[in-house]
Amino acid sequence: MSTSAGWDHPRTSFYTDHYELTMLQAALHSGAAHRRSVFEAFARRLPDGRRYGIVAGTGRLLEGIANFRFGEAELEFLERTHVVNRETLEYLASYKFSGDIWGYAEGDAYFPNSPILIVEASFAEACMLETYLLSVLNHDTAIASAASRMVSAAGGRPCIEMGSRRTHEEAATASARAAIIAGFDSTSNLEAGIRYGVKTVGTAAHSFTLLHDTEREAFEAQIASLGEGTSLLVDTYDVEKAVRTAVDLAGPRLGAVRLDSGDLVAQAQWVRRLLDDLGNEHTKIVVTSDLDEYAIAALQSAPVDSYGVGTSLVTGSGAPTASMVYKLVSRTDDDGNFVSVAKAAKNKASVGGRKYALRKLDERGRATAEVVGVGHRPEDDGNDRPLLQQFMKNGELLPGWTGHEGVLRARQRHADSMAELPPVVNRLQRGEPAIPTLYEDN
């Protein structure tokens, strides 16, 4: 497993629900706990108005599964609170996931019913992962899906993730990672920097200006400490006066000015003209202030160089979960043969059977459909792309999917996947998914 040197992953076995252990106990009692089983994580639908989603969180999840163990403290709690019986405690004491995991690569696009993650193991091993698996994938995928829309709306201008103060501290770090995967240029979150090796940025807030007796003194201190290439926040008092002061102090080497309030479109236009008139043609303009993909799209006509996005990103821009579920789709019978199983409840039905997925591509490399074979591999026409990658084999992590390497690999996969999708996904249009998901039975 590849993780950053500055971080020890916590034990993850209690990031779960009580009923998963009582279900395990009952399955051990019936003798069915050791049946080989196939579970599948998928989303029945996309959030309203979305045409695609972006998979994220797999690398974090794999690291967590490797640490999904029950130590003395966990076992003592379960015994003291009578959650499970002695037989189950003995099983948990030696628990270590030993199965296989496949799935869509992080950064890849997905659609309704795409088999995003497939877990094959004994029922006992696989059932306990449900809550932890869904909590990671639902959160990170929601963030990456929102981030991808923002990156598309930005049209090549860099986006900076800066939402840490708007969410839980661990969610903030996970959000930063997911945003980088989906194309954000950098993050303000230092923990994401040390864990995942991603680029971190930041300069000063309004409080720094307010600390000093005058705005000029604040700018002088920042420039003296951080250099003329720094970014100065110019809307604490009077924007025009602040821009003129900034240029007077730093000259044409001033890196950027940041606008954080007001009519950003109009303000960016006249600030750009002012900077140019003062000889600072190369000083950039960074905008922040409650941006989402629609605000970013509206700023396309403005002379903005980069966007800082916070609250909307870390809350999924209106869709804080990907609504994924984790269902048993196949298991062995008493003779050791796999049989398909499926939930038939109204509005919550699932499709039984082991899945294999393929993205159909036309002669230009554009996606036309997602084909999911049930119990068999769909036929590849030669231009098509298989979607399922193997992440774990016999409980061991395969290289390249975790740590900094995993983030870089996922970021490239996102870029490649977006190039496959029809151009309409880049224009924030609403409607049906960008491509259909087609099932092929045996």
Side-chain angles (χ1 to χ4, degrees), residues 33-197:
H34 302 295
R35 282 181 169 176
R36 194 73 173 175
S37 300
V38 177
F39 281 80
E40 175 189 325
F42 63 95
R44 292 189 176 94
R45 63 190 64 86
L46 296 172
D48 290 343
R50 301 281 178 91
R51 306 203 69 198
Y52 69 100
I54 296 297
V55 178
T58 311
R60 289 206 310 120
L61 173 64
L62 295 171
E63 293 174 356
I65 290 175
N67 287 276
F68 200 97
R69 307 294 295 274
F70 293 83
E72 290 184 6
E74 290 83 10
L75 294 171
E76 188 278 330
F77 170 84
L78 294 174
E79 181 176 33
R80 173 169 49 83
T81 56
H82 308 291
V83 174
V84 293
N85 62 16
R86 171 57 56 184
E87 178 190 10
T88 308
L89 286 171
E90 290 175 356
Y91 175 84
L92 294 175
S94 59
Y95 177 89
K96 180 181 184 300
F97 182 77
S98 64
D100 301 331
I101 298 179
W102 296 264
Y104 284 35
E106 280 194 277
D108 215 338
Y110 75 92
F111 303 94
N113 299 305
S114 294
I116 292 168
L117 201 76
I118 294 173
V119 177
E120 181 177 337
S122 70
F123 179 85
E125 289 188 26
C127 77
M128 284 193 292
L129 300 180
E130 178 180 6
T131 298
Y132 178 58
L133 181 151
L134 289 176
S135 68
V136 173
L137 291 183
N138 270 318
H139 174 269
D140 290 25
T141 295
I143 305 306
S145 298
S148 179
R149 289 161 57 84
M150 294 170 186
V151 169
S152 294
R157 295 171 177 174
C159 292
I160 306 164
E161 187 283 315
M162 47 195 305
S164 294
R165 65 193 65 188
R166 297 292 185 256
T167 189
H168 182 280
E169 65 272 15
E170 281 297 324
T173 304
S175 296
R177 180 184 182 278
I180 295 294
I181 285 172
F184 268 55
D185 179 70
S186 55
T187 176
S188 65
N189 188 282
L190 288 176
E191 185 64 21
I194 192 171
R195 282 192 200 179
Y196 305 115

Side-chain angles (χ1 to χ4, degrees), residues 19-38:
Y19 92 121
E20 286 168 5
L21 297 189
T22 53
M23 179 167 55
L24 167 67
Q25 176 173 309
L28 288 170
H29 179 77
S30 73
H34 302 295
R35 282 181 169 176
R36 194 73 173 175
S37 300
V38 177

